[in-house]
Amino acid sequence: MKEKVLHIVDGPSSRWVLEHGKITDEIVVFPLYLSFGHIPRDFTDQELCFSMMSLYNWRKSDRWFEEFPRLKRMVNQDYSSFDKVVVWHGGGAHELLLLYMMAVLTENNLYHVDIRDNTEFMKKMKSMKNPYMGDVSPYDISTFNMSLNMKKVSPQENEEYRKMWHEWTKSKAPYRFTSLVSDCIKEYTGDFMDETILDVIEEEMDQRRIIGSVMGRFMMKNMRIPDAVIHNRIMELVLDGKINRSVLLSVNRTKS
């Protein structure tokens, strides 16, 4: 009898990569992006709602409310019905936190694929020591046989991940990131990128370059910050009166 395997990824793009990389088992997307906003302290409806609302504040989209039933199903699912529950991840905070959370939701059937364990893929990435799933293509999945890097989470690792998850549920910071060279998760305050944003806006007003310039400056500090996060913070600075309202048009961007 074929094993019943469930693959869990951090976003729709990662699911697409696995599907087109010839992974034929069931693949699901966890609907919370755990790098931002409120980490649920437990899995009650109230805490899950707080988390969804915090993501709405980060990016205004009704999708977060539409995702709530699926989020509730996932945290209440009986994962013992699967032979393997596999979390795919690199070194991003959002991916590692997902792995830690799944250690709480599963018992003895948690596995993971750490893309950094694949030697050929890491050769392709060259100097990048801490890639994310967003750096993986379907070609990588199939050509480098990345599913062969699947490993069972040992009881000791499982206990460590659970402890780390419970520690992170105490986080009150709005941002959590790793660096491009380390998977150590660090917290950041709501205004941590403000000085860089204001510096860039003094030099650059082209709507196509402001966010890219801010991203580039943080890349030089070994930090990868999504464009949507920078865009949202600029909007907040405009509303707070720290940036002239005319800049609003300069950073207006097409939704990704």
Side-chain angles (χ1 to χ4, degrees):
M1 181 181 295
K2 183 181 178 181
E3 285 186 317
K4 188 176 181 182
V5 180
L6 176 68
H7 299 271
I8 299 180
V9 292
D10 67 302
S13 61
S14 295
R15 177 174 59 191
W16 181 87
V17 166
L18 262 61
E19 289 173 344
H20 288 77
K22 312 303 181 185
I23 301 298
T24 57
D25 303 306
E26 183 179 356
I27 306 168
V28 297
V29 176
F30 184 68
L32 279 185
Y33 201 74
L34 295 167
S35 275
F36 312 116
H38 178 75
I39 292 183
R41 293 181 173 84
D42 53 45
F43 301 120
T44 61
D45 285 359
Q46 176 175 283
E47 282 294 307
L48 297 178
C49 280
F50 283 160
S51 294
M52 283 295 188
M53 282 300 297
S54 68
L55 288 177
Y56 178 79
N57 290 333
W58 163 54
R59 178 186 283 181
K60 303 296 189 287
S61 171
D62 291 338
R63 180 173 75 85
W64 303 120
F65 303 106
E66 296 167 0
E67 292 280 17
F68 179 78
R70 188 159 67 89
L71 172 62
K72 187 175 178 179
R73 286 196 301 272
M74 285 195 70
V75 300
N76 289 297
Q77 183 165 345
D78 178 12
Y79 289 99
S80 66
S81 62
F82 295 93
D83 296 299
K84 296 178 180 177
V85 177
V86 187
V87 177
W88 287 70
H89 68 91
H94 51 294
E95 303 166 324
L96 294 172
L97 288 166
L98 174 58
L99 175 64
Y100 303 158
M101 186 201 69
M102 290 309 302
V104 176
L105 296 177
T106 57
E107 289 297 331
N108 301 311
N109 58 345
L110 182 61
Y111 291 71
H112 67 128
V113 175
D114 188 336
I115 60 175
R116 297 167 298 177
D117 289 339
N118 190 284
T119 304
E120 294 304 312
F121 173 71
M122 292 304 291
K123 285 181 181 178
K124 173 188 171 185
M125 298 307 294
K126 297 180 180 178
S127 61
M128 185 178 291
K129 298 179 181 179
N130 201 36
Y132 303 170
M133 278 297 295
D135 299 309
V136 180
S137 72
Y139 171 89
D140 298 328
I141 298 291
S142 57
T143 303
F144 300 147
N145 293 317
M146 297 183 84
S147 59
L148 295 180
N149 295 108
M150 184 188 304
K151 295 179 181 177
K152 183 175 176 58
V153 174
S154 70
Q156 294 79 12
E157 290 172 326
N158 191 281
E159 182 61 27
E160 178 185 354
Y161 294 163
R162 290 184 181 210
K163 287 180 179 178
M164 294 174 77
W165 172 255
H166 290 305
E167 282 299 311
W168 278 109
T169 61
K170 301 173 186 176
S171 172
K172 296 182 180 179
Y175 303 112
R176 292 164 290 275
F177 296 111
T178 56
S179 77
L180 295 175
V181 295
S182 168
D183 62 3
C184 177
I185 303 173
K186 296 183 179 180
E187 296 179 322
Y188 294 87
T189 61
D191 61 357
F192 86 97
M193 67 183 92
D194 292 3
E195 182 178 349
T196 302
I197 290 173
L198 295 173
D199 282 348
V200 168
I201 286 177
E202 285 185 4
E203 302 171 4
E204 181 64 71
M205 293 297 292
D206 187 285
Q207 67 177 42
R208 296 167 298 179
R209 296 180 179 175
I210 294 174
I211 295 173
S213 294
V214 174
M215 290 176 68
R217 291 197 184 189
F218 278 103
M219 287 286 282
M220 292 175 65
K221 300 177 183 178
N222 286 320
M223 286 187 65
R224 185 189 300 189
I225 303 177
D227 58 349
V229 175
I230 298 170
H231 174 262
N232 186 70
R233 185 58 187 169
I234 293 173
M235 296 300 100
E236 290 175 344
L237 292 173
V238 170
L239 293 174
D240 289 344
K242 296 179 181 179
I243 295 177
N244 190 294
R245 187 168 291 274
S246 64
V247 176
L248 183 65
L249 295 178
S250 297
V251 295
N252 191 22
R253 60 193 283 277
T254 303
K255 290 185 178 179
S256 58

